[in-house]
Amino acid sequence: MKPLFITLEGTEGVGKTSNLAYIKQLLDEAKINYIVTREPGGTPLGEALRGMLLSHDYKGMSSDTELLLMFAARAEHVAQVIKPALAKGQWVLCDRFTDATFAYQGGGRQLDMQRIADLENWVLGKLRPDLTLLLDCPLEVARARADNRSTPDRFEQEKDAFFNRVRDVYLQRAKVDPNRIKVIDASLELAKVQEQIKAVLGKDL
Ligand code: TMP
């Protein structure tokens, strides 16, 4: 079977961490050979860029710089980690990918979507995720969960309007590409969220 490239997306506080652990459990049970990685990050250079992108040291970073750094980290990640893994037959489970750039830089920062699409084509060539699980829940629910955490990073401290735009773009993309992007109702209790994930992933395992 062709190895799958699976990505996990959603706004802050939708439960990405606990659901990532559940997806790993499902892949383990199905004896799939896979790697887990994340964006921005996934390589030494990418993790260094992640540090810069999330840090308050660069509070006034221009949105274009932010976009280009996301894609610089991604170029390295694709070349060094994602493509080699898929070529070896390993599945790739990635915590965020290019949909996050459309949602955060396109929606949140209101950058031109066409420029993002151009960068996507340049950096990824034909590579796209095979399946994207979009954990979705209303902002109030996500906020309440995220607020329990430590000091907010440069993105987490954005205002509600920013995150509503992020969510809207994610949902819009899911509407346009329903075969790839599966919306998971993450406002429900964890067991119910996991049921939905299993129903989607089960088809491929
Ligand atoms: P994470 O902590 O959920 O892994 O994500 C780090 C932050 O980076 C999160 O606030 C979303 C943001 N981000 C973007 O703005 N654009 C992107 O392309 C990616 C991958 C993440």
Side-chain angles (χ1 to χ4, degrees):
M1 199 205 321
K2 174 182 166 283
L4 294 189
F5 176 22
I6 302 171
T7 60
L8 188 61
E9 298 280 0
T11 53
E12 329 294 308
V14 289
K16 248 177 346 96
T17 309
S18 23
N19 287 301
L20 187 75
Y22 179 66
I23 297 168
K24 281 161 66 178
Q25 190 190 314
L26 291 178
L27 296 179
D28 286 338
E29 282 167 12
K31 306 223 176 324
I32 302 284
N33 179 7
Y34 68 95
I35 60 159
V36 184
T37 187
R38 70 171 179 182
E39 290 211 346
T43 64
L45 174 58
E47 291 294 328
L49 292 173
R50 178 189 179 89
M52 291 180 177
L53 281 158
L54 300 191
S55 166
H56 292 285
D57 290 350
Y58 306 105
K59 225 177 188 151
M61 181 187 298
S62 86
S63 299
D64 279 348
T65 306
E66 183 179 289
L67 173 66
L68 291 167
L69 289 179
M70 288 293 176
F71 269 106
R74 182 161 301 132
E76 187 70 2
H77 194 206
V78 166
Q80 307 285 358
V81 175
I82 298 178
K83 279 190 175 167
L86 293 170
K88 275 190 281 181
Q90 289 179 305
W91 290 33
V92 175
L93 174 57
C94 190
D95 184 349
R96 296 196 187 282
F97 198 61
T98 313
D99 292 302
T101 315
F102 284 100
Y104 282 79
Q105 282 64 53
R109 303 277 188 237
Q110 299 179 293
L111 292 181
D112 179 14
M113 295 288 183
Q114 188 53 51
R115 291 174 92 184
I116 302 176
D118 291 344
L119 284 167
E120 177 184 43
N121 288 332
W122 180 34
V123 169
L124 300 186
K126 288 199 170 65
L127 179 73
R128 295 292 181 278
D130 298 295
L131 173 67
T132 297
L133 297 164
L134 170 58
L135 298 173
D136 176 68
C137 74
L139 190 61
E140 310 80 71
V141 180
R143 270 273 187 218
R145 290 179 188 159
D147 281 351
N148 295 331
R149 297 200 198 136
S150 49
T151 328
D153 63 36
R154 205 173 57 84
F155 288 100
E156 288 163 346
Q157 46 121 49
E158 286 296 336
K159 305 255 183 309
D160 287 2
F162 177 94
F163 290 108
N164 279 321
R165 290 196 299 272
V166 170
R167 184 184 182 209
D168 287 349
V169 171
Y170 269 138
L171 289 174
Q172 183 56 34
R173 289 179 67 74
K175 217 179 216 174
V176 172
D177 196 356
N179 286 333
R180 174 175 69 86
I181 307 181
K182 305 292 181 192
V183 182
I184 307 291
D185 181 351
S187 63
L188 305 174
E189 60 182 89
L190 190 58
K192 296 261 187 260
V193 177
Q194 292 178 342
E195 258 173 40
Q196 298 171 69
I197 292 176
K198 194 170 186 178
V200 170
L201 260 186
K203 296 190 187 90
D204 293 309
L205 298 177

